[in-house]
Structure formats: structure tokens, C-alpha cells
Amino acid sequence: MDKTKHLTIEKPDVQDKGIQGAAAILRDGGLVAIPTETVYGLAADALNPQAVARIFEAKGRPSDNPLIVHIAHLDHITKVARTVPESAAKLAKAFWPGPLTMVLPKADCIPDKTSGGLDTVGIRLPSHPVARAVIEAAGVPLAAPSANLSGSPSPTTAGHVLADMEGRIEAVLDGGPCGVGVESTVLSLVEERPLLLRPGGVTPEQIESVIGPIDIHPAVYHALEQGEKAASPGMKYKHYAPHTKVIVVKGESRDFARYVNSKGDKIGALCFDEDLPYIKVPAVPYGHAGRPDTQARGLFDALRHLDGLNVDVVYARYPDMDGMGLAVYNRLMRAAAFEVVEL
């Protein structure tokens, strides 16, 4: 493939030249990385199995890993879902457009390639105006997993996309840095009781305030059981990981610093901003202590910087668990393949 085009935007409107260029590529079966409020998505026509197959090829993604379908308008949900329960309507009213994906029975138009062979499909209405404008201009729903090589940290800037996808895709549409920083919450509404498959920008507490109690899939906290099929993106054992080995350390700031400082040469730290004065090894901060929203925005960029530390192991400070902290915890634990040290 030729060099990946770097498309820019003057305004988030369907008539924008960059958006029109992206839409033309997508209609022609090509791949374009587009900005969303969560992370950059690698978009293809969700109804075109050949185009969707190219997503898996470009990412090196396992073909049984389902993709999320993005729509531009609320009423488009009935075009991609076979049925829409009352709970989905309530959640859409509360959180769409926004970082919530709802898993519903898929409509006949959704190819098996898009749904990972499942009879369900994840559907999202993004709040990013550029993403919605691209979907509208393309005239089709878009399958759009994160625009990175499979297993590596998700991209939150166009530069991150190009670092992974240069020459693998037709274009990246540059909409600046993503505001949320971690992927959408994925909630399945096909079980007897709603089931959280992946934490993200909408917290369990927010969801429960709208539809009542939900269950949380064990894979949010732990690895999938041997042979268990992923029902959502981001459920695999190791994901979001840099090349450098990461180990999560659970402990207070001073204890964490003492532990890391004692580990010898070729050691690095992934920490909070407030930890930096106490750490004597190469360190990358990923947000403020007690501010999971800043941790979410900073995590993937920080993980990408770890490979530049020239160390053998990076010890990562255990994140806060309140609010969006569950999403940060989930991503960091997968980046570390669930290896944890408790001080």
C-alpha cells in the first residue's frame, strides 16, 4: 500500500473536505482511522465483510474478536439491531451520544465478520462530532475498533495511529487528542440481567442509576477462563501492552517509590504525577492521584512512552478504583497480563 494519507479537518461538518475524503475511502471499501471521544477507531463499512476483513488484517486481530458498530443517529439503532429493549432506550436517552456500547441481537444486515461470529452486535453512537460527520457522509454504519496493532496500547492521537498503521491503511483523519482516553463501556443487554463486559467512560454506578442493578463480568477483573469466547473487544488476557514488561504494584505512594527504587538497574516506573518527587528511576506519569479521569486520558500515551525508557521492567502504580478508575484498572491489568505485587 502507498503511504497512509494524513487528512485534516477545518470544521466537523459533512461538507468538510477531509471528512468527505474519508467518507469516499470508506464507501470504496477502504480503511480510515477516525477520532472519537474515547480513542481513535479504525473504521470500515460495517456492512461490507470484505472491508471488515481488512480491519482484522491491518491490526493483526483475531477474527473471533467482535467489532463495535458506530451509528450517526439514534434512530439508526433499529437498522443494526434486531430488537431494542426498553432498557436500551433508557440508556440511549441518558448516555448517547457518548462512550457507551450496548450489545443487542444483531440485524440480518450485520455480517458474521463484523460480529465475530456471534448473534449479537455492539452498537455505539459516538459524541465526537467528527466521527458522526464521517458516518453520516459515508452513508453506512462503521465498524471501528481501536486503530492500533492488536494487543498494543490504544491510540489517542493521530500520531499514535501512524506509529502503528503507517502503510497498512488508506488514511487517518486528524481530529486532535481524544477527550476520554479509554474505550467505551460495553454493556450486554441480551442476558436476563444487564452484564458489563468492559468498563469505560460510563461507569457502572451511572448505568445503575438509570436501569437498576447490573452484573459485572469476571473478565473485567481477571483473565478469561481457558477456552472462553470473548463477547466484547478488550476481554483478551493480554491487551493494551507495550513491548516492555509491566508489573502492577499495589501500595501507597512512598511505599511504591521505596519498592521501585530498590529494584536495581534497568527498572522504570509508571506512576501518578504526585509520585515523581520520590522516584529515582526513569518514570512516566499517567495522571493525578485521586483523579481517574486524568488517569484515563493519560494511560495509553504513557504506556506508549514506556518503550523509550530503555529498561527491562516497568513497575506501575495501582490505580484508583472509583468512578472511571475501574476502566483504568482493567486496561492496566491487561497491559501487565494480571501480574501484581502487593506491598
Side-chain angles (χ1 to χ4, degrees), residues 15 44-45 53-54 59 66 69 97 108 121 145 203 227-228 252-253 269 275 294 304 310 321 341:
Q15 301 304 320
D45 177 354
R54 289 196 55 218
K59 284 176 61 70
V69 172
D108 292 341
V121 63
T203 68
E228 187 176 1
E252 296 301 320
S253 179
D275 300 328
T294 68
R304 285 178 174 267
N310 191 30
M321 293 288 283
V341 173

PDB file of all heavy atoms in Angstrom, residues 15 44-45 53-54 59 66 69 97 108 121 145 203 227-228 252-253 269 275 294 304 310 321 341:
ATOM      1  N   GLN A  15     -19.691  18.415   5.000  1.00  0.00           N
ATOM      2  CA  GLN A  15     -19.166  19.013   3.775  1.00  0.00           C
ATOM      3  C   GLN A  15     -17.671  19.293   3.850  1.00  0.00           C
ATOM      4  O   GLN A  15     -17.061  19.694   2.857  1.00  0.00           O
ATOM      5  CB  GLN A  15     -19.920  20.321   3.467  1.00  0.00           C
ATOM      6  CG  GLN A  15     -21.419  20.154   3.286  1.00  0.00           C
ATOM      7  CD  GLN A  15     -21.760  19.133   2.209  1.00  0.00           C
ATOM      8  OE1 GLN A  15     -21.123  19.062   1.167  1.00  0.00           O
ATOM      9  NE2 GLN A  15     -22.786  18.324   2.473  1.00  0.00           N
ATOM     10  N   ALA A  44     -14.273   0.944   8.974  1.00  0.00           N
ATOM     11  CA  ALA A  44     -14.623   0.351   7.691  1.00  0.00           C
ATOM     12  C   ALA A  44     -16.135   0.230   7.630  1.00  0.00           C
ATOM     13  O   ALA A  44     -16.822   0.280   8.662  1.00  0.00           O
ATOM     14  CB  ALA A  44     -13.977  -1.027   7.515  1.00  0.00           C
ATOM     15  N   ASP A  45     -16.667   0.078   6.430  1.00  0.00           N
ATOM     16  CA  ASP A  45     -18.098  -0.140   6.241  1.00  0.00           C
ATOM     17  C   ASP A  45     -18.496  -1.414   6.971  1.00  0.00           C
ATOM     18  O   ASP A  45     -18.079  -2.513   6.611  1.00  0.00           O
ATOM     19  CB  ASP A  45     -18.379  -0.244   4.739  1.00  0.00           C
ATOM     20  CG  ASP A  45     -19.843  -0.535   4.417  1.00  0.00           C
ATOM     21  OD1 ASP A  45     -20.648  -0.771   5.332  1.00  0.00           O
ATOM     22  OD2 ASP A  45     -20.171  -0.535   3.205  1.00  0.00           O
ATOM     23  N   ALA A  53     -12.930  -7.428   6.893  1.00  0.00           N
ATOM     24  CA  ALA A  53     -11.810  -8.371   6.940  1.00  0.00           C
ATOM     25  C   ALA A  53     -10.474  -7.651   6.898  1.00  0.00           C
ATOM     26  O   ALA A  53      -9.490  -8.086   7.510  1.00  0.00           O
ATOM     27  CB  ALA A  53     -11.914  -9.363   5.786  1.00  0.00           C
ATOM     28  N   ARG A  54     -10.426  -6.513   6.219  1.00  0.00           N
ATOM     29  CA  ARG A  54      -9.191  -5.744   6.139  1.00  0.00           C
ATOM     30  C   ARG A  54      -8.825  -5.121   7.484  1.00  0.00           C
ATOM     31  O   ARG A  54      -7.645  -4.892   7.762  1.00  0.00           O
ATOM     32  CB  ARG A  54      -9.304  -4.659   5.058  1.00  0.00           C
ATOM     33  CG  ARG A  54      -9.316  -5.225   3.630  1.00  0.00           C
ATOM     34  CD  ARG A  54      -9.047  -4.149   2.615  1.00  0.00           C
ATOM     35  NE  ARG A  54      -7.796  -3.463   2.944  1.00  0.00           N
ATOM     36  CZ  ARG A  54      -7.616  -2.150   2.787  1.00  0.00           C
ATOM     37  NH1 ARG A  54      -8.595  -1.383   2.326  1.00  0.00           N
ATOM     38  NH2 ARG A  54      -6.464  -1.592   3.103  1.00  0.00           N
ATOM     39  N   LYS A  59      -4.786  -4.835  11.684  1.00  0.00           N
ATOM     40  CA  LYS A  59      -4.492  -4.837  13.110  1.00  0.00           C
ATOM     41  C   LYS A  59      -3.760  -6.092  13.565  1.00  0.00           C
ATOM     42  O   LYS A  59      -3.167  -6.102  14.647  1.00  0.00           O
ATOM     43  CB  LYS A  59      -5.796  -4.720  13.921  1.00  0.00           C
ATOM     44  CG  LYS A  59      -6.403  -3.335  13.944  1.00  0.00           C
ATOM     45  CD  LYS A  59      -7.739  -3.305  14.685  1.00  0.00           C
ATOM     46  CE  LYS A  59      -7.623  -3.725  16.135  1.00  0.00           C
ATOM     47  NZ  LYS A  59      -6.906  -2.764  16.987  1.00  0.00           N
ATOM     48  N   PRO A  66     -15.149  -9.670  18.351  1.00  0.00           N
ATOM     49  CA  PRO A  66     -16.205  -8.878  17.708  1.00  0.00           C
ATOM     50  C   PRO A  66     -15.859  -7.395  17.636  1.00  0.00           C
ATOM     51  O   PRO A  66     -15.085  -6.877  18.434  1.00  0.00           O
ATOM     52  CB  PRO A  66     -17.420  -9.113  18.606  1.00  0.00           C
ATOM     53  CG  PRO A  66     -16.842  -9.492  19.935  1.00  0.00           C
ATOM     54  CD  PRO A  66     -15.584 -10.250  19.632  1.00  0.00           C
ATOM     55  N   VAL A  69     -20.150  -1.522  16.181  1.00  0.00           N
ATOM     56  CA  VAL A  69     -20.738  -0.800  15.058  1.00  0.00           C
ATOM     57  C   VAL A  69     -21.131   0.599  15.522  1.00  0.00           C
ATOM     58  O   VAL A  69     -21.857   0.750  16.519  1.00  0.00           O
ATOM     59  CB  VAL A  69     -21.949  -1.558  14.488  1.00  0.00           C
ATOM     60  CG1 VAL A  69     -22.671  -0.714  13.449  1.00  0.00           C
ATOM     61  CG2 VAL A  69     -21.498  -2.885  13.888  1.00  0.00           C
ATOM     62  N   PRO A  97     -25.499  10.790  22.557  1.00  0.00           N
ATOM     63  CA  PRO A  97     -24.203  10.311  22.100  1.00  0.00           C
ATOM     64  C   PRO A  97     -23.213  10.251  23.272  1.00  0.00           C
ATOM     65  O   PRO A  97     -23.236  11.111  24.156  1.00  0.00           O
ATOM     66  CB  PRO A  97     -23.752  11.353  21.075  1.00  0.00           C
ATOM     67  CG  PRO A  97     -24.969  12.142  20.733  1.00  0.00           C
ATOM     68  CD  PRO A  97     -25.843  12.098  21.946  1.00  0.00           C
ATOM     69  N   ASP A 108     -30.152  -8.675  10.470  1.00  0.00           N
ATOM     70  CA  ASP A 108     -29.663  -9.563   9.416  1.00  0.00           C
ATOM     71  C   ASP A 108     -28.590  -8.907   8.555  1.00  0.00           C
ATOM     72  O   ASP A 108     -27.785  -9.612   7.940  1.00  0.00           O
ATOM     73  CB  ASP A 108     -30.830 -10.005   8.528  1.00  0.00           C
ATOM     74  CG  ASP A 108     -31.806 -10.930   9.251  1.00  0.00           C
ATOM     75  OD1 ASP A 108     -31.406 -11.504  10.285  1.00  0.00           O
ATOM     76  OD2 ASP A 108     -32.954 -11.051   8.793  1.00  0.00           O
ATOM     77  N   VAL A 121     -24.492  -7.883  18.458  1.00  0.00           N
ATOM     78  CA  VAL A 121     -23.588  -6.843  17.958  1.00  0.00           C
ATOM     79  C   VAL A 121     -23.533  -5.699  18.962  1.00  0.00           C
ATOM     80  O   VAL A 121     -24.547  -5.337  19.575  1.00  0.00           O
ATOM     81  CB  VAL A 121     -24.041  -6.321  16.573  1.00  0.00           C
ATOM     82  CG1 VAL A 121     -25.415  -5.657  16.641  1.00  0.00           C
ATOM     83  CG2 VAL A 121     -23.016  -5.368  15.981  1.00  0.00           C
ATOM     84  N   PRO A 145     -12.899  -0.706  15.583  1.00  0.00           N
ATOM     85  CA  PRO A 145     -12.114  -0.997  16.780  1.00  0.00           C
ATOM     86  C   PRO A 145     -10.994   0.016  16.909  1.00  0.00           C
ATOM     87  O   PRO A 145     -10.784   0.855  16.012  1.00  0.00           O
ATOM     88  CB  PRO A 145     -11.564  -2.393  16.490  1.00  0.00           C
ATOM     89  CG  PRO A 145     -11.398  -2.405  15.003  1.00  0.00           C
ATOM     90  CD  PRO A 145     -12.569  -1.608  14.476  1.00  0.00           C
ATOM     91  N   THR A 203     -19.699   4.863  33.871  1.00  0.00           N
ATOM     92  CA  THR A 203     -19.379   3.983  34.998  1.00  0.00           C
ATOM     93  C   THR A 203     -20.556   3.068  35.352  1.00  0.00           C
ATOM     94  O   THR A 203     -21.716   3.361  35.020  1.00  0.00           O
ATOM     95  CB  THR A 203     -19.024   4.813  36.246  1.00  0.00           C
ATOM     96  OG1 THR A 203     -20.205   5.491  36.705  1.00  0.00           O
ATOM     97  CG2 THR A 203     -17.930   5.823  35.939  1.00  0.00           C
ATOM     98  N   GLY A 227     -10.431 -21.183  27.061  1.00  0.00           N
ATOM     99  CA  GLY A 227     -11.410 -21.583  26.057  1.00  0.00           C
ATOM    100  C   GLY A 227     -12.652 -20.716  26.007  1.00  0.00           C
ATOM    101  O   GLY A 227     -13.500 -20.900  25.125  1.00  0.00           O
ATOM    102  N   GLU A 228     -12.783 -19.767  26.932  1.00  0.00           N
ATOM    103  CA  GLU A 228     -13.966 -18.903  26.952  1.00  0.00           C
ATOM    104  C   GLU A 228     -13.887 -17.890  25.816  1.00  0.00           C
ATOM    105  O   GLU A 228     -12.859 -17.269  25.583  1.00  0.00           O
ATOM    106  CB  GLU A 228     -14.063 -18.176  28.290  1.00  0.00           C
ATOM    107  CG  GLU A 228     -15.353 -17.386  28.479  1.00  0.00           C
ATOM    108  CD  GLU A 228     -15.449 -16.762  29.863  1.00  0.00           C
ATOM    109  OE1 GLU A 228     -14.512 -16.932  30.657  1.00  0.00           O
ATOM    110  OE2 GLU A 228     -16.466 -16.109  30.146  1.00  0.00           O
ATOM    111  N   GLU A 252       0.890   2.375  48.781  1.00  0.00           N
ATOM    112  CA  GLU A 252       0.843   3.826  48.884  1.00  0.00           C
ATOM    113  C   GLU A 252       2.059   4.455  48.210  1.00  0.00           C
ATOM    114  O   GLU A 252       3.057   3.781  47.923  1.00  0.00           O
ATOM    115  CB  GLU A 252       0.776   4.245  50.358  1.00  0.00           C
ATOM    116  CG  GLU A 252      -0.480   3.788  51.077  1.00  0.00           C
ATOM    117  CD  GLU A 252      -1.745   4.307  50.435  1.00  0.00           C
ATOM    118  OE1 GLU A 252      -1.738   5.496  50.011  1.00  0.00           O
ATOM    119  OE2 GLU A 252      -2.721   3.550  50.318  1.00  0.00           O
ATOM    120  N   SER A 253       1.984   5.767  47.998  1.00  0.00           N
ATOM    121  CA  SER A 253       2.980   6.468  47.191  1.00  0.00           C
ATOM    122  C   SER A 253       4.408   6.255  47.681  1.00  0.00           C
ATOM    123  O   SER A 253       5.291   5.846  46.912  1.00  0.00           O
ATOM    124  CB  SER A 253       2.666   7.974  47.174  1.00  0.00           C
ATOM    125  OG  SER A 253       3.629   8.680  46.410  1.00  0.00           O
ATOM    126  N   ALA A 269       9.331   3.207  36.097  1.00  0.00           N
ATOM    127  CA  ALA A 269       8.094   3.347  36.870  1.00  0.00           C
ATOM    128  C   ALA A 269       7.020   4.025  36.031  1.00  0.00           C
ATOM    129  O   ALA A 269       7.295   4.950  35.261  1.00  0.00           O
ATOM    130  CB  ALA A 269       8.340   4.157  38.138  1.00  0.00           C
ATOM    131  N   ASP A 275       3.787  11.154  42.566  1.00  0.00           N
ATOM    132  CA  ASP A 275       4.839  10.208  42.966  1.00  0.00           C
ATOM    133  C   ASP A 275       6.223  10.628  42.487  1.00  0.00           C
ATOM    134  O   ASP A 275       7.240  10.176  43.044  1.00  0.00           O
ATOM    135  CB  ASP A 275       4.550   8.809  42.398  1.00  0.00           C
ATOM    136  CG  ASP A 275       3.235   8.231  42.868  1.00  0.00           C
ATOM    137  OD1 ASP A 275       2.826   8.532  44.006  1.00  0.00           O
ATOM    138  OD2 ASP A 275       2.612   7.475  42.098  1.00  0.00           O
ATOM    139  N   THR A 294      -8.192  11.892  34.780  1.00  0.00           N
ATOM    140  CA  THR A 294      -6.881  12.240  34.230  1.00  0.00           C
ATOM    141  C   THR A 294      -6.052  10.985  33.967  1.00  0.00           C
ATOM    142  O   THR A 294      -5.283  10.941  33.005  1.00  0.00           O
ATOM    143  CB  THR A 294      -6.104  13.173  35.166  1.00  0.00           C
ATOM    144  OG1 THR A 294      -5.724  12.474  36.374  1.00  0.00           O
ATOM    145  CG2 THR A 294      -6.929  14.391  35.550  1.00  0.00           C
ATOM    146  N   ARG A 304       2.683   3.954  25.848  1.00  0.00           N
ATOM    147  CA  ARG A 304       3.489   4.026  24.623  1.00  0.00           C
ATOM    148  C   ARG A 304       4.878   4.606  24.896  1.00  0.00           C
ATOM    149  O   ARG A 304       5.835   4.269  24.194  1.00  0.00           O
ATOM    150  CB  ARG A 304       2.765   4.846  23.560  1.00  0.00           C
ATOM    151  CG  ARG A 304       1.610   4.091  22.915  1.00  0.00           C
ATOM    152  CD  ARG A 304       0.835   4.903  21.898  1.00  0.00           C
ATOM    153  NE  ARG A 304      -0.149   4.064  21.233  1.00  0.00           N
ATOM    154  CZ  ARG A 304       0.046   3.412  20.103  1.00  0.00           C
ATOM    155  NH1 ARG A 304       1.200   3.544  19.466  1.00  0.00           N
ATOM    156  NH2 ARG A 304      -0.891   2.651  19.576  1.00  0.00           N
ATOM    157  N   ASN A 310      14.133   2.465  27.874  1.00  0.00           N
ATOM    158  CA  ASN A 310      15.295   1.570  27.773  1.00  0.00           C
ATOM    159  C   ASN A 310      15.521   0.810  29.083  1.00  0.00           C
ATOM    160  O   ASN A 310      16.625   0.775  29.626  1.00  0.00           O
ATOM    161  CB  ASN A 310      16.558   2.346  27.380  1.00  0.00           C
ATOM    162  CG  ASN A 310      17.717   1.432  26.998  1.00  0.00           C
ATOM    163  OD1 ASN A 310      17.497   0.323  26.496  1.00  0.00           O
ATOM    164  ND2 ASN A 310      18.938   1.870  27.256  1.00  0.00           N
ATOM    165  N   MET A 321      -9.878   3.059  42.128  1.00  0.00           N
ATOM    166  CA  MET A 321     -10.950   2.214  41.606  1.00  0.00           C
ATOM    167  C   MET A 321     -12.305   2.912  41.547  1.00  0.00           C
ATOM    168  O   MET A 321     -13.297   2.325  41.127  1.00  0.00           O
ATOM    169  CB  MET A 321     -11.069   0.945  42.456  1.00  0.00           C
ATOM    170  CG  MET A 321      -9.873   0.023  42.346  1.00  0.00           C
ATOM    171  SD  MET A 321      -9.796  -0.815  40.746  1.00  0.00           S
ATOM    172  CE  MET A 321     -11.066  -2.062  40.986  1.00  0.00           C
ATOM    173  N   VAL A 341       2.039  -7.112  42.321  1.00  0.00           N
ATOM    174  CA  VAL A 341       2.787  -7.214  43.585  1.00  0.00           C
ATOM    175  C   VAL A 341       2.043  -6.389  44.624  1.00  0.00           C
ATOM    176  O   VAL A 341       1.734  -5.219  44.369  1.00  0.00           O
ATOM    177  CB  VAL A 341       4.231  -6.703  43.438  1.00  0.00           C
ATOM    178  CG1 VAL A 341       4.928  -6.653  44.792  1.00  0.00           C
ATOM    179  CG2 VAL A 341       5.005  -7.580  42.467  1.00  0.00           C
TER     180      VAL A 341
END
